[in-house]
PDB file of all heavy atoms in Angstrom:
ATOM      1  N   PRO A 163      35.172-111.616  68.260  1.00  0.00           N
ATOM      2  CA  PRO A 163      35.860-111.147  67.055  1.00  0.00           C
ATOM      3  C   PRO A 163      36.108-112.173  66.155  1.00  0.00           C
ATOM      4  O   PRO A 163      36.016-111.944  64.818  1.00  0.00           O
ATOM      5  CB  PRO A 163      37.239-110.604  67.707  1.00  0.00           C
ATOM      6  CG  PRO A 163      36.904-110.309  69.051  1.00  0.00           C
ATOM      7  CD  PRO A 163      35.884-111.199  69.503  1.00  0.00           C
ATOM      8  N   GLN A 164      36.230-113.597  66.514  1.00  0.00           N
ATOM      9  CA  GLN A 164      36.495-114.673  65.506  1.00  0.00           C
ATOM     10  C   GLN A 164      35.190-114.986  64.787  1.00  0.00           C
ATOM     11  O   GLN A 164      35.256-115.747  63.769  1.00  0.00           O
ATOM     12  CB  GLN A 164      37.121-115.829  66.150  1.00  0.00           C
ATOM     13  CG  GLN A 164      36.198-116.407  67.280  1.00  0.00           C
ATOM     14  CD  GLN A 164      36.685-115.943  68.671  1.00  0.00           C
ATOM     15  OE1 GLN A 164      36.996-114.850  68.821  1.00  0.00           O
ATOM     16  NE2 GLN A 164      36.385-116.750  69.698  1.00  0.00           N
ATOM     17  N   ASP A 165      34.078-114.553  65.246  1.00  0.00           N
ATOM     18  CA  ASP A 165      32.797-114.814  64.515  1.00  0.00           C
ATOM     19  C   ASP A 165      32.539-113.764  63.432  1.00  0.00           C
ATOM     20  O   ASP A 165      31.318-113.701  63.056  1.00  0.00           O
ATOM     21  CB  ASP A 165      31.648-114.852  65.435  1.00  0.00           C
ATOM     22  CG  ASP A 165      31.723-115.948  66.556  1.00  0.00           C
ATOM     23  OD1 ASP A 165      32.285-117.081  66.129  1.00  0.00           O
ATOM     24  OD2 ASP A 165      31.350-115.718  67.632  1.00  0.00           O
ATOM     25  N   ARG A 166      33.483-112.892  63.101  1.00  0.00           N
ATOM     26  CA  ARG A 166      33.215-111.910  62.071  1.00  0.00           C
ATOM     27  C   ARG A 166      32.724-112.537  60.730  1.00  0.00           C
ATOM     28  O   ARG A 166      33.248-113.509  60.324  1.00  0.00           O
ATOM     29  CB  ARG A 166      34.503-111.147  61.748  1.00  0.00           C
ATOM     30  CG  ARG A 166      34.354-110.079  60.727  1.00  0.00           C
ATOM     31  CD  ARG A 166      35.668-109.228  60.647  1.00  0.00           C
ATOM     32  NE  ARG A 166      36.774-110.093  60.131  1.00  0.00           N
ATOM     33  CZ  ARG A 166      36.931-110.401  58.780  1.00  0.00           C
ATOM     34  NH1 ARG A 166      36.156-109.814  57.931  1.00  0.00           N
ATOM     35  NH2 ARG A 166      37.808-111.170  58.362  1.00  0.00           N
ATOM     36  N   ILE A 167      31.784-111.840  60.169  1.00  0.00           N
ATOM     37  CA  ILE A 167      31.136-112.457  58.904  1.00  0.00           C
ATOM     38  C   ILE A 167      32.303-112.381  57.809  1.00  0.00           C
ATOM     39  O   ILE A 167      32.899-111.335  57.574  1.00  0.00           O
ATOM     40  CB  ILE A 167      29.893-111.519  58.566  1.00  0.00           C
ATOM     41  CG1 ILE A 167      28.817-111.744  59.588  1.00  0.00           C
ATOM     42  CG2 ILE A 167      29.397-112.073  57.129  1.00  0.00           C
ATOM     43  CD1 ILE A 167      28.365-113.091  59.802  1.00  0.00           C
ATOM     44  N   THR A 168      32.488-113.421  56.970  1.00  0.00           N
ATOM     45  CA  THR A 168      33.386-113.427  55.937  1.00  0.00           C
ATOM     46  C   THR A 168      32.734-113.660  54.649  1.00  0.00           C
ATOM     47  O   THR A 168      31.463-113.957  54.583  1.00  0.00           O
ATOM     48  CB  THR A 168      34.343-114.618  56.171  1.00  0.00           C
ATOM     49  OG1 THR A 168      33.599-115.859  56.036  1.00  0.00           O
ATOM     50  CG2 THR A 168      34.966-114.415  57.575  1.00  0.00           C
ATOM     51  N   ILE A 169      33.484-113.723  53.598  1.00  0.00           N
ATOM     52  CA  ILE A 169      33.001-113.943  52.239  1.00  0.00           C
ATOM     53  C   ILE A 169      32.211-115.309  52.102  1.00  0.00           C
ATOM     54  O   ILE A 169      31.301-115.470  51.321  1.00  0.00           O
ATOM     55  CB  ILE A 169      34.031-113.741  51.166  1.00  0.00           C
ATOM     56  CG1 ILE A 169      33.496-113.683  49.770  1.00  0.00           C
ATOM     57  CG2 ILE A 169      35.113-114.828  51.204  1.00  0.00           C
ATOM     58  CD1 ILE A 169      34.466-113.251  48.692  1.00  0.00           C
ATOM     59  N   ARG A 170      32.743-116.194  52.962  1.00  0.00           N
ATOM     60  CA  ARG A 170      32.166-117.654  52.893  1.00  0.00           C
ATOM     61  C   ARG A 170      30.760-117.435  53.355  1.00  0.00           C
ATOM     62  O   ARG A 170      29.846-118.220  52.845  1.00  0.00           O
ATOM     63  CB  ARG A 170      32.948-118.555  53.684  1.00  0.00           C
ATOM     64  CG  ARG A 170      34.461-118.775  53.196  1.00  0.00           C
ATOM     65  CD  ARG A 170      35.213-119.799  54.045  1.00  0.00           C
ATOM     66  NE  ARG A 170      36.583-119.967  53.621  1.00  0.00           N
ATOM     67  CZ  ARG A 170      36.797-120.858  52.651  1.00  0.00           C
ATOM     68  NH1 ARG A 170      35.795-121.706  52.219  1.00  0.00           N
ATOM     69  NH2 ARG A 170      38.022-121.063  52.289  1.00  0.00           N
ATOM     70  N   HIS A 171      30.537-116.784  54.379  1.00  0.00           N
ATOM     71  CA  HIS A 171      29.152-116.715  54.944  1.00  0.00           C
ATOM     72  C   HIS A 171      28.135-116.108  53.958  1.00  0.00           C
ATOM     73  O   HIS A 171      26.997-116.492  53.914  1.00  0.00           O
ATOM     74  CB  HIS A 171      29.140-115.858  56.231  1.00  0.00           C
ATOM     75  CG  HIS A 171      29.876-116.344  57.473  1.00  0.00           C
ATOM     76  ND1 HIS A 171      31.060-115.894  57.761  1.00  0.00           N
ATOM     77  CD2 HIS A 171      29.731-117.398  58.174  1.00  0.00           C
ATOM     78  CE1 HIS A 171      31.579-116.563  58.837  1.00  0.00           C
ATOM     79  NE2 HIS A 171      30.607-117.610  59.043  1.00  0.00           N
ATOM     80  N   VAL A 172      28.722-115.061  53.259  1.00  0.00           N
ATOM     81  CA  VAL A 172      27.880-114.409  52.285  1.00  0.00           C
ATOM     82  C   VAL A 172      27.559-115.384  51.170  1.00  0.00           C
ATOM     83  O   VAL A 172      26.391-115.480  50.641  1.00  0.00           O
ATOM     84  CB  VAL A 172      28.595-113.130  51.662  1.00  0.00           C
ATOM     85  CG1 VAL A 172      27.793-112.582  50.426  1.00  0.00           C
ATOM     86  CG2 VAL A 172      28.756-112.106  52.609  1.00  0.00           C
ATOM     87  N   ALA A 173      28.552-116.137  50.645  1.00  0.00           N
ATOM     88  CA  ALA A 173      28.335-117.077  49.560  1.00  0.00           C
ATOM     89  C   ALA A 173      27.328-118.133  50.004  1.00  0.00           C
ATOM     90  O   ALA A 173      26.441-118.606  49.262  1.00  0.00           O
ATOM     91  CB  ALA A 173      29.669-117.691  49.167  1.00  0.00           C
TER      92      ALA A 173
END
Side-chain angles (χ1 to χ4, degrees):
Q164 60 264 33
D165 295 329
R166 183 178 63 83
I167 300 299
T168 69
I169 192 172
R170 294 180 181 277
H171 295 106
V172 174

